[in-house]
Amino acid sequence: MFPPVSENTKLNSGFTLLPVALTVLSVMVIVGTFVLLIGYNSLRNSLLLVKSHQANSLVNACVEHALLKIQENSAFAGAGEVTLDTGACSYNVASLGGERKAVTASSIIDSAVRKAKVIVASTTPKIFISEWQEVAD
């Protein structure tokens, strides 16, 4: 029924299967490496986003601290630093004439840098903020 199989045919079938198996294995290694690299970059970006949010919260806390200093003493002008669990930030309060003041603050957590600038229009009877923005420089 079936033609006889020689020893030569058995050996040749193994040699044809070997390149196919190596090719499939190579493709699997390439796809696996690609998936690992995507996962690593996603994890790194997520960590940077968390650090950026922490730096933003820290710079806002720094501005709030400077505003409390202004509330305690409406003539306050100067610099300071606030240290919290997540890191430290610095602020500077400058007089713009009259009751107007400019508060600048910056915080750095790892490679995430956040800066804010706040313009205080008046300090009596309460602090009135005319501008609060995140700045690049």
Side-chain angles (χ1 to χ4, degrees), residues 11-129:
L11 287 177
N12 285 341
S13 66
F15 284 116
T16 57
L17 185 60
L18 185 62
V20 171
L22 288 176
T23 303
V24 169
L25 183 62
S26 298
V27 168
M28 288 174 61
V29 167
I30 290 170
V31 169
T33 303
F34 183 70
V35 168
L36 285 175
L37 286 175
I38 288 175
Y40 171 75
N41 285 334
S42 176
L43 181 64
R44 189 178 59 163
N45 288 341
S46 296
L47 184 60
L48 183 59
L49 184 63
V50 167
K51 297 292 182 184
S52 179
H53 285 300
Q54 287 176 341
N56 188 43
S57 296
L58 191 58
V59 80
N60 286 338
C62 209
V63 169
E64 291 286 342
H65 184 78
L67 292 174
L68 284 174
K69 289 279 198 180
I70 294 170
Q71 187 177 21
E72 290 172 0
N73 177 9
S74 61
F76 176 77
E81 188 172 296
V82 176
T83 303
L84 299 174
D85 292 340
T86 55
C89 64
S90 60
Y91 65 87
N92 187 24
V93 178
S95 180
L96 299 176
E99 290 188 334
R100 289 178 45 93
K101 297 190 180 297
V103 178
T104 55
S106 65
S107 67
I108 301 171
I109 297 181
D110 292 337
S111 60
V113 178
R114 290 294 182 106
K115 297 179 180 183
K117 180 179 180 182
V118 175
I119 303 296
V120 177
S122 68
T123 57
T124 55
K126 293 184 178 182
I127 292 178
F128 177 74
I129 298 171

